[in-house]
Amino acid sequence: MVPSGLDRIDAVIDLLGPDTTDTVPIDLHVDKLSYTVTDQPGSWWQRITNLQMPWEWMEKAKPTEVLKGVSFTARSGELLAIMGGSGSGKTSLLDVLACRTTSGVVTGDIYLNSVVRTKAILDSCSGYVRQDDRLIAFLTVRETLMFVAQLKLPRTFTQAMIANRVDLVIAELGLTHAADTKVGNGTIRGLSGGERRRVSIGIQLLILPSILFLDEPTSGLDSFTASSIVKTLSRLASKHRTIIMSIHQPRFDIFNTVNSIMVLSKGSVVYNGPAPKMVTYFTNLGYPCPEHTNPCDFYIDLATVDGTSKEQEEITSRVVKTLHDAFRVTEESVTDIESYRQDVIEAREIKQSIDGMKELTDSPYVKRVTGDDTLQNLIDAYERQRSCPGLGTQFVILFRRFIRVTVDDYPALLTHLVQALLMSLLLGTVYIDLKLSQVSIRDWFGVMFMISVMYPYMVILGLIGTCHEERRFLYFELQDRLYHPAAYYFAKVFSDIPFHLIYVLVYIIPLYFMAGLPVDGYICCMFGLFVGVSVFTSRCLAMMSAAILPTYQIASFFSQTMFSLFIMSAGFLINLNNIIAGTRWLSILSYLRWGFQALCLIQIKDLEFECDTSVTHVCVHNGTKALETYSLDSGQLWQCALGLGGTMVVFLAVMLVGLMCVPQKPHNE
């Protein structure tokens, strides 16, 4: 017999669907949460990323308890402010709650209503706003939000629905007047600091999150703007959202705006409760707030150990210990958590079967099994998150963004064009109007070699710098699951091709005519093709180095070393037959060798050189004989194409593996 509880299944409303702006009310419960980290990275790759020396790997790591038995409840419809001095554990607490820790050991329990928190469920119903704004300066507010909305919102949304959601968020954050203004940065005129922070918040609001985490949203803002941001957050919290923010040195009106306050000191709680009761609590402990003093500033200072002198450190340490002990004694039992203990077994079953979530949500009996309406909504939200746009749509959106940003960054675009033109004019001037005399034979090989290596070398360092700049966005966008690394990879590579073709044309056309190279349709097309592929292979080397290596310096060193080896084994500086037998394999791997040899076969092989009959030395009559002197006559054009294309494919494959397997976290984070 079917249980009567199933009669309510047909009445379940999709609260996170496209036709509503409501959110699922979710309370976040934390019980005895502790977090321990070591002073050394865990994995070998993290150690390399942090540039640790081999002998440092042998040192014993010292564990540090960052959070110590933290318990609290953040309720739906309220704004909770986590305060404390530097090193008190504010950001660490947010990272643990939001499942953003990459190392360390976490103990304790965290619940979303009666559900044991899992990363999958949390990602579907929460947003995280970082301390600094990771926004692309060349996009407007509307374009920035549209880009994220197209990637985050379910594929069932039409373009009109996505635009409506963006307009709703813009209006909710008071950004209507700046909707078509570029975000800007330190060098590009755009939004103010407070408006940029609102855009960062708006990005997370697009999915109508039930829980919103913010890491010091007022950092770097003036007091008026900071107060305005907090008032905006308070208004957002009143719409059934649970908002938790860390904040440093809040002004008095911020103290009056927030609903609840938690004060941390050395990883432990010294106060947790309603904001209006904080002054009374500390006053009862014998620490009244002086008149005309901001309570937040006073009690943050009170809960901070002053290390300016040994005496001050001892005094403040005793005060902090007293505050910790007092809170443990007077702390009320977390009744909310106790009331949910009976659901832990069921919740953990859900957690264990999270990999089989699809089968679970397909069952019409899921509500009867869990007995929790909110859990059903969370699972539905998780499923919708999984139904976000596929790789093809992600590729198209990212491709458009790359093209738009590149075109809008016209100073950089113009710089690359001028760079290619100047290099072309420089080489054209050096090798102007090449002759067919015996003394010009080396010049013909010289121009082919310089064409193969000069501009590709200039491209590498600049592109590595650009890729490492993009890491500021890439790492956090991947962390927010905006798109798959493969979608970014293909969009990056294919969006680079149109501009690459323009640069190559600007590079070879002036040089071609200045040097007096043969004007023939087939020769010109093949020449341009092999130069283009050679330069693009250098771009692939740069992108690969940036994807697999942690810093600009290491990536530059690696790519320059590789490029130098390829130059030396290309066949111009030393005859291919004279390369040491043990290192001859380098010439086979050198894409510069294959590019150089291809240009020689295209341009020099069919040339007829002039011979002076009055001179007794051996005369090189044609290009075929000239190729023999450099040992470049053994290969054919298709072999050069295979060697050049094969190297390019290898670089691109390693780049893809790097994007998918290597953390793209900027080294300065």
Side-chain angles (χ1 to χ4, degrees):
M1 181 176 180
V2 178
S4 59
L6 292 179
D7 296 337
R8 298 180 295 119
I9 292 177
D10 296 333
V12 174
I13 299 175
D14 191 356
L15 292 177
L16 293 181
D19 299 325
T20 179
T21 59
D22 295 332
T23 57
V24 179
I26 298 176
D27 295 343
L28 187 144
H29 310 275
V30 178
D31 185 21
K32 297 182 175 60
L33 181 67
S34 297
Y35 178 45
T36 304
V37 298
T38 59
D39 57 0
Q40 284 189 344
S43 67
W44 65 272
W45 183 254
Q46 288 176 316
R47 293 171 187 266
I48 293 177
T49 300
N50 284 265
L51 304 181
Q52 287 191 346
M53 295 294 103
W55 54 85
E56 293 181 289
W57 291 34
M58 306 301 294
E59 296 179 2
K60 221 170 185 183
K62 299 176 182 177
T64 302
E65 196 172 15
V66 180
L67 300 174
K68 307 171 185 176
V70 176
S71 298
F72 68 94
T73 296
R75 302 180 185 280
S76 175
E78 293 185 355
L79 172 59
L80 168 63
I82 303 173
M83 301 191 306
S86 298
S88 60
K90 303 186 299 295
T91 300
S92 296
L93 177 57
L94 285 180
D95 288 341
V96 171
L97 295 177
C99 297
R100 290 180 178 265
T101 55
T102 56
S103 60
V105 178
V106 178
T107 60
D109 296 311
I110 302 175
Y111 308 102
L112 305 178
N113 290 348
S114 64
V115 183
V116 173
R117 178 214 60 179
T118 65
K119 179 172 174 51
I121 295 178
L122 188 68
D123 286 344
S124 69
C125 64
S126 70
Y128 188 99
V129 180
R130 298 170 188 85
Q131 182 174 345
D132 54 339
D133 302 313
R134 305 284 174 158
L135 305 172
I136 298 177
F138 300 101
L139 300 181
T140 65
V141 173
R142 192 184 306 278
E143 289 169 342
T144 299
L145 294 177
M146 280 295 293
F147 165 73
V148 178
Q150 288 171 334
L151 291 171
K152 264 199 167 185
L153 295 179
R155 65 183 69 183
T156 55
F157 274 58
T158 64
Q159 284 299 314
M161 291 175 180
I162 293 174
N164 289 337
R165 178 66 61 84
V166 169
D167 290 338
L168 172 70
V169 170
I170 289 175
E172 194 171 17
L173 293 172
L175 289 171
T176 304
H177 67 286
D180 298 313
T181 302
K182 287 188 176 182
V183 171
N185 55 21
T187 58
I188 300 173
R189 186 176 180 85
L191 303 178
S192 66
E195 289 171 333
R196 280 198 294 269
R197 193 60 48 85
R198 281 192 172 92
V199 175
S200 296
I201 296 172
I203 288 174
Q204 302 302 326
L205 291 180
L206 288 168
I207 61 170
L208 304 179
S210 298
I211 304 173
L212 186 62
F213 303 100
L214 302 101
D215 184 14
E216 298 197 17
T218 61
S219 178
L221 303 179
D222 61 86
S223 58
F224 176 82
T225 305
S227 176
S228 176
I229 290 290
V230 175
K231 288 177 181 177
T232 299
L233 294 175
S234 178
R235 186 175 67 253
L236 295 175
S238 65
K239 299 180 180 181
H240 309 296
R241 294 188 179 97
T242 303
I243 298 184
I244 304 174
M245 69 173 181
S246 63
I247 191 167
H248 189 62
Q249 291 183 327
R251 54 185 273 179
F252 185 72
D253 58 347
I254 292 178
F255 169 70
N256 288 329
T257 302
V258 300
N259 302 106
S260 301
I261 287 179
M262 178 192 300
V263 182
L264 289 177
S265 177
K266 299 177 68 174
S268 297
V269 181
V270 297
Y271 175 76
N272 177 30
K277 295 183 179 180
M278 184 175 72
V279 175
T280 303
Y281 172 80
F282 283 105
T283 300
N284 293 336
L285 295 180
Y287 300 102
C289 179
E291 191 176 2
H292 307 302
T293 301
N294 183 351
C296 294
D297 290 339
F298 179 75
Y299 292 122
I300 288 176
D301 293 342
L302 183 69
T304 303
V305 175
D306 185 0
T308 55
S309 66
K310 187 175 181 179
E311 293 78 11
Q312 280 294 105
E313 186 174 1
E314 290 178 355
I315 294 172
T316 53
S317 294
R318 285 197 296 269
V319 172
V320 170
K321 185 178 185 303
T322 301
L323 295 176
H324 287 161
D325 294 340
F327 184 77
R328 278 194 292 268
V329 171
T330 60
E331 183 180 15
E332 297 179 355
S333 62
V334 188
T335 55
D336 294 298
I337 293 177
E338 295 296 334
S339 66
Y340 288 102
R341 292 295 173 87
Q342 59 183 349
D343 298 317
V344 171
I345 295 178
E346 294 177 357
R348 284 178 179 167
E349 289 176 356
I350 301 301
K351 180 179 179 181
Q352 291 170 359
S353 61
I354 195 68
D355 292 335
M357 189 66 74
K358 186 68 173 66
E359 290 77 8
L360 179 63
T361 53
D362 285 341
S363 171
Y365 300 98
V366 63
K367 198 168 198 177
R368 175 176 59 83
V369 172
T370 61
D372 192 314
D373 291 349
T374 302
L375 177 59
Q376 174 66 47
N377 291 325
L378 291 176
I379 294 174
D380 289 343
Y382 174 58
E383 281 302 303
R384 279 188 295 277
Q385 188 73 3
R386 287 176 54 179
S387 70
C388 284
L391 286 178
T393 304
Q394 293 176 13
F395 164 78
V396 172
I397 295 170
L398 286 166
F399 180 84
R400 289 174 178 170
R401 186 180 78 167
F402 277 123
I403 296 293
R404 172 63 190 276
V405 171
T406 304
V407 171
D408 279 359
D409 191 9
Y410 57 87
L413 188 63
L414 181 61
T415 300
H416 293 317
L417 290 172
V418 171
Q419 182 187 57
L421 179 61
L422 290 179
M423 181 54 62
S424 178
L425 295 176
L426 175 62
L427 292 178
T429 302
V430 172
Y431 294 99
I432 192 166
D433 195 18
L434 288 173
K435 308 299 182 183
L436 294 175
S437 62
Q438 293 295 301
V439 294
S440 298
I441 293 177
R442 183 172 175 82
D443 297 342
W444 280 88
F445 285 96
V447 70
M448 298 305 144
F449 179 74
M450 298 303 289
I451 290 172
S452 301
V453 302
M454 286 297 290
Y455 185 61
Y457 179 75
M458 297 180 65
V459 164
I460 287 178
L461 293 184
L463 188 55
I464 290 176
T466 300
C467 290
H468 275 276
E469 278 294 316
E470 290 176 0
R471 272 191 172 190
R472 296 179 61 249
F473 309 101
L474 174 62
Y475 175 73
F476 295 106
E477 287 176 347
L478 291 178
Q479 201 174 40
D480 288 341
R481 301 197 309 166
L482 278 184
Y483 46 76
H484 193 274
Y488 173 88
Y489 163 79
F490 286 107
K492 175 69 176 174
V493 172
F494 282 98
S495 66
D496 206 38
I497 292 177
F499 301 99
H500 161 73
L501 294 176
I502 295 173
Y503 301 148
V504 169
L505 289 175
V506 173
Y507 173 56
I508 63 176
I509 289 177
L511 167 62
Y512 198 94
F513 290 101
M514 290 178 70
L517 301 182
V519 180
D520 176 86
Y522 172 77
I523 292 177
C524 290
C525 291
M526 294 303 294
F527 180 83
L529 175 63
F530 274 92
V531 172
V533 174
S534 182
V535 175
F536 191 74
T537 304
S538 294
R539 300 181 76 89
C540 294
L541 172 61
M543 292 188 289
M544 178 196 72
S545 302
I548 64 176
L549 295 170
T551 66
Y552 172 78
Q553 291 79 6
I554 296 178
S556 299
F557 171 77
F558 172 80
S559 59
Q560 285 181 337
T561 302
M562 294 280 291
F563 197 85
S564 299
L565 292 174
F566 292 156
I567 285 179
M568 290 186 289
S569 58
F572 179 76
L573 299 178
I574 183 173
N575 191 293
L576 291 177
N577 290 334
N578 293 334
I579 298 177
I580 301 173
T583 60
R584 197 164 293 171
W585 55 272
L586 279 172
S587 66
I588 300 175
L589 299 179
S590 173
Y591 71 91
L592 296 178
R593 174 259 176 98
W594 297 114
F596 170 53
Q597 185 171 355
L599 297 188
C600 291
L601 290 173
I602 293 169
Q603 293 285 347
I604 301 177
K605 184 177 181 180
D606 296 329
L607 294 179
E608 297 291 335
F609 294 103
E610 301 172 355
C611 290
D612 188 350
T613 56
S614 63
V615 180
T616 57
H617 63 71
V618 178
C619 178
V620 178
H621 293 275
N622 52 50
T624 302
K625 186 67 175 178
L627 291 173
E628 291 179 6
T629 62
Y630 283 89
S631 302
L632 295 172
D633 60 325
S634 59
Q636 297 184 30
L637 206 57
W638 68 267
Q639 292 174 312
C640 298
L642 186 62
L644 199 57
T647 307
M648 180 181 65
V649 170
V650 169
F651 288 162
L652 289 174
V654 175
M655 175 190 171
L656 177 59
V657 172
L659 288 174
M660 298 188 67
C661 301
V662 177
Q664 297 298 308
K665 186 174 184 179
H667 187 256
N668 57 352
E669 292 296 330

